[in-house]
Amino acid sequence: MTGNNLTEMSRHASAKMSREIYYSHTNLVVVDEKLAKEEGLIKILDVIDRDTDFRTTATIIISRGQKAKTFIRTLTPIDKIPSNKVNKTLQFTEEHLGEHMKTSVQDVIKC
């Protein structure tokens, strides 16, 4: 679905689905670099923070060099769920290489 913000996108999706959209299982938020530059993270995070169903402990990343939807659709033979692969990769590179710090939505909101 598309929309000017998460709330609008959710409304459009709800009209096409027979079930309620459930964000409580979200563990990764991927923001397109273009959107982050144009809108700023404040607007994006404000909607997420106000939604009581959304986990602010979810990891947030900005997709550089490709659209967020392309990034999240990437599958690997080992990890069938893209968000698990991203979270594991971030954790590994942070622990072993000291780069790419894993950051949650609430960490960004606090800053």
Side-chain angles (χ1 to χ4, degrees), residues 54-68:
F54 209 99
R55 286 174 38 187
T56 57
T57 56
T59 302
I60 184 168
I61 62 169
I62 297 177
S63 171
R64 293 184 68 194
Q66 62 182 321
K67 293 197 171 284

Side-chain angles (χ1 to χ4, degrees), residues 20-47:
E20 182 180 347
I21 297 175
Y22 189 68
Y23 292 109
S24 294
H25 292 296
T26 303
N27 65 2
L28 178 67
V29 177
V30 181
V31 179
D32 191 282
E33 182 179 28
K34 181 180 176 185
L35 178 66
K37 286 180 178 178
E38 290 175 359
E39 295 293 323
L41 286 176
I42 300 294
K43 287 184 180 180
I44 298 164
L45 295 175
D46 182 55
V47 173

Side-chain angles (χ1 to χ4, degrees), residues 33-107:
E33 182 179 28
K34 181 180 176 185
L35 178 66
K37 286 180 178 178
E38 290 175 359
E39 295 293 323
L41 286 176
I42 300 294
K43 287 184 180 180
I44 298 164
L45 295 175
D46 182 55
V47 173
I48 292 171
D49 190 34
R50 290 174 190 267
D51 189 332
T52 56
D53 291 335
F54 209 99
R55 286 174 38 187
T56 57
T57 56
T59 302
I60 184 168
I61 62 169
I62 297 177
S63 171
R64 293 184 68 194
Q66 62 182 321
K67 293 197 171 284
K69 69 179 180 181
T70 304
F71 181 87
I72 202 66
R73 287 181 181 161
T74 304
L75 291 175
T76 63
I78 298 171
D79 297 298
K80 297 296 183 192
I81 302 172
S83 62
N84 288 347
K85 183 213 184 301
V86 172
N87 279 316
K88 288 177 186 177
T89 301
L90 286 171
Q91 183 177 352
F92 177 82
T93 58
E94 181 179 356
E95 290 174 1
H96 298 281
L97 304 174
E99 15 178 89
H100 305 111
M101 300 290 290
K102 188 174 174 183
T103 306
S104 71
V105 170
Q106 71 188 71
D107 291 340

